[in-house]
Amino acid sequence: MKTFAAQIHRAVRDGLLSEPFDAVMVRSACPGWANHTYNTFLGKHSVGNGKTSELFVRVSRGLYKLRDPFALQKGILKLRGKVKWEGNLDEMRSN
């Protein structure tokens, strides 16, 4: 799922996805994933979930924004509070 999170970050950075966003907007900006992924990923990876990475902030029901909009530019994507990927953006694009 690291790739999906990176794709969402890039879509926001590139202006393809505006904040706050919902699952329908993410599906449009980041096509090619299973339908259930769009419906569960944002909530599952939002602040306060207590179980998985906290990549998004829930602003209201079904609407989210990036927790750290500069994670890709900094070369860091944190999962479960630990750095799981560190490098440059070109490395992530090639994976």
Side-chain angles (χ1 to χ4, degrees), residues 4-48:
F4 186 45
Q7 193 174 4
I8 294 170
H9 273 257
R10 281 193 303 270
V12 170
R13 182 201 64 206
D14 295 346
L16 301 172
L17 182 62
S18 60
E19 296 180 287
F21 47 82
D22 62 15
V24 173
M25 295 166 70
V26 172
R27 182 181 291 120
S28 176
C30 307
W33 297 88
N35 283 335
H36 72 275
T37 300
Y38 297 104
N39 295 325
T40 60
F41 190 81
L42 298 174
K44 183 177 179 182
H45 294 277
S46 63
V47 171

Side-chain angles (χ1 to χ4, degrees), residues 43-67:
K44 183 177 179 182
H45 294 277
S46 63
V47 171
N49 62 48
K51 295 182 182 178
T52 60
S53 58
E54 296 180 331
L55 304 173
F56 308 103
V57 175
R58 182 177 179 229
V59 250
S60 67
R61 184 178 176 147
L63 289 175
Y64 301 86
K65 66 179 185 174
L66 298 178
R67 178 178 182 197

